[in-house]
């Protein structure tokens, strides 16, 4: 199944394809964010949780600790974020979030969100989002 869009999340992440029972290769959530400062972190946590659930249940996600011995230097450490992200994006399904809000208001959240979510797009990036979805579906169809 190349992809599936659901309007409501099940506890285990997403509905399987009714015809085959197979989980999706692509999961897209579109969220309308009205108050960026209040809503976006909540929505990002929800989608990150769904991403980790689906990648663990349906994919091959096996997270390994990074054995950091001190909390100093952890906050904002892009190398640590990258090491976690590398483990997450290798597992299916591909998780995409499209936030209907200005990127100027929400861009600062992208790096943190993309640690757990394969790709995050904002309202000015709908064309890029569609191109990414199209390419992902094409790649999944080749498997």
């Amino acid at each position: 199944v190349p992809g599936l869009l659901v309007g409501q999340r099940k506890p285990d992440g997403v509905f399987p394809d009714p015809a085959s029972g197979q989980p999706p290769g692509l999961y897209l959530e579109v969220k309308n964010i009205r108050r960026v400062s209040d809503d976006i972190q909540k929505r990002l946590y929800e989608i990150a949780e769904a991403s980790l659930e689906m990648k663990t249940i349906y994919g091959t996600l096996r997270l390994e600790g990074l054995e950091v011995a001190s909390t100093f230097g952890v906050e904002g450490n892009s190398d640590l974020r990258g090491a976690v992200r590398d483990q997450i994006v290798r597992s299916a399904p591909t998780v995409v979030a499209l936030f209907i809000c200005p990127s100027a208001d929400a861009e600062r959240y992208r790096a943190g969100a993309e640690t757990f979510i394969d790709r995050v797009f904002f309202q000015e990036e709908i064309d890029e989002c569609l191109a990414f979805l199209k390419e992902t579906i094409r790649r999944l169809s080749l498997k």
Side-chain angles (χ1 to χ4, degrees), residues 1 4 15-22:
V1 176
L4 181 68
F15 294 95
D17 176 40
S20 69
Q22 296 297 306

Side-chain angles (χ1 to χ4, degrees), residues 70-86:
S70 170
T71 59
F72 293 107
V74 170
E75 183 179 356
N77 186 325
S78 61
D79 292 338
L80 290 176
R81 186 181 300 130
V84 173
R85 178 175 172 73
D86 287 344

